Amino acid sequence: MHAIDAPEMDQTCETEHGIAFGCGAWVAAQIRERFEGAHATCTARDVDRYDRIVATCEVSGADMGEAIVAQGWAFAFRRYGMDYDLTEKAAFVNGQGLHGLRVQSPAAFRAMRVKGRVPVDPDCVIKGNISNNGRIFHVPGQQFYDRTGINERRGERWFCSTAEAQNAGWRAARR
């Protein structure tokens, strides 16, 4: 959809109490519940770099993108249009949907995943990094965890436990 950015299906968010949950799947369920079975009229606006049609859609005369952003199920994607800028600001002020959670923007989440900074499996968050100092693993909260990327082509990998990393011959990072 034109000018909106929703969480990725595997993206997680945290409640105000620090409880993580799959907000990408939650958003998909909310949108499905609201629009499934409804007749949508869509107008193509563009074609993205993957050759997919980007469109604005209406259901019963209402703009779907605006409704989705107003509920806080997606963000205005200002890079592609300012259509929902004020709608998102109102959702933010009212703490609607994602705006009531700790959430990384979907664009930032995708960028981190591309750079090997977000695990494919949310249960396997230990980073096995190869550096000049050898095979080192980093756990969340350590000094260099966030800026350490995993390049699997170089032999770097994700681990599900410190024991798994140590058994594979990796040592804990000092900081």
Side-chain angles (χ1 to χ4, degrees):
M1 293 194 72
H2 170 72
I4 71 169
D5 197 15
E8 297 296 314
M9 284 299 291
D10 60 340
Q11 188 170 344
T12 59
C13 299
E14 286 186 5
T15 66
E16 63 184 42
H17 301 293
I19 299 168
F21 73 101
C23 60
W26 174 77
V27 162
Q30 298 303 308
I31 293 171
R32 190 177 310 110
E33 184 177 318
R34 168 67 176 82
F35 293 107
E36 190 169 48
H39 177 76
T41 303
C42 299
T43 304
R45 299 275 305 255
D46 201 357
V47 176
D48 71 10
R49 64 183 174 166
Y50 303 106
D51 208 30
R52 299 175 299 197
I53 295 172
V54 178
T56 53
C57 297
E58 290 185 355
V59 171
S60 301
D63 183 331
M64 284 179 66
E66 184 172 32
I68 290 167
V69 172
Q71 290 297 315
W73 299 330
F75 300 95
F77 211 171
R78 293 168 183 86
R79 178 170 144 194
Y80 294 104
M82 296 298 288
D83 306 53
Y84 309 119
D85 178 62
L86 294 177
T87 304
E88 182 190 317
K89 288 175 180 171
F92 174 80
V93 167
N94 293 315
Q96 289 290 110
L98 296 168
H99 300 291
L101 304 169
R102 294 181 191 133
V103 59
Q104 182 178 37
S105 79
F109 176 81
R110 287 188 298 273
M112 293 289 281
R113 184 171 48 196
V114 167
K115 294 177 183 175
R117 291 188 172 93
V118 176
V120 175
D121 182 342
D123 293 325
C124 301
V125 297
I126 298 171
K127 298 177 178 182
N129 175 251
I130 300 173
S131 72
N132 293 337
N133 297 322
R135 295 174 182 266
I136 302 168
F137 67 87
H138 302 265
V139 298
Q142 286 187 306
Q143 183 177 358
F144 298 111
Y145 182 84
D146 288 338
R147 73 179 200 191
T148 298
I150 299 303
N151 183 341
E152 292 178 345
R153 290 187 309 259
R154 289 186 47 213
E156 297 176 332
R157 56 186 279 202
W158 294 95
F159 294 104
C160 301
S161 70
T162 56
E164 178 187 4
Q166 290 168 335
N167 290 339
W170 300 67
R171 71 165 176 85
R174 292 186 181 98
R175 299 183 273 172

